[in-house]
Structure formats: C-alpha cells, structure tokens
Amino acid sequence: MSTLGLEKRDGRNMLVVAAVVTLVIAGTAEGALGVRVVAGTVAGVMSAVVFVISTLLINRYGPDHW
C-alpha cells in the first residue's frame, strides 16, 4: 500500500467500503444464494478498485489542505 502512496487508514477504509457494498448487494440482489454472493463480491471488488483510484487521484492532485 505504501508503494502506491496510500496510508494505513486508507487500506482500512477501503476494506470497510468493500465489505459494506458486498453485504448490501448480496442482501438486496435477487436469485439463488450463490448468485447473490458472487454479485456482492464483484460489486465489492469494483468499489474497492474505484476507492483506491479516487484516493490516489485525491492524494496526488487534491489541494494540500484536504
């Protein structure tokens, strides 16, 4: 994580976001349990990737006072 320029709390926040998204999608999706778990996992991974990209962009190009 430090190689990318992320802090320890960024990793924790990413895991929290991914877990919440996974649980919400798995809980609200329709279909068999396996399908819901796969849908939740895919959505959680996608949200984690978007979180990392947006955090990197904010850290690199955001104002210093953020």
Side-chain angles (χ1 to χ4, degrees):
M1 297 285 285
S2 62
T3 305
L4 294 174
L6 297 175
E7 298 175 7
K8 193 174 190 178
R9 88 185 151 148
D10 293 330
R12 183 192 68 230
N13 291 343
M14 178 194 64
L15 289 176
V16 169
V17 167
V20 168
V21 169
T22 298
L23 292 174
V24 168
I25 295 297
T28 59
E30 293 185 19
L33 180 62
V35 173
R36 293 175 14 192
V37 169
V38 169
T41 302
V42 169
V45 168
M46 289 173 44
S47 67
V49 169
V50 170
F51 181 89
V52 168
I53 291 171
S54 61
T55 301
L56 289 173
L57 290 173
I58 288 171
N59 288 346
R60 178 163 295 212
Y61 300 111
D64 291 333
H65 67 287
W66 277 9

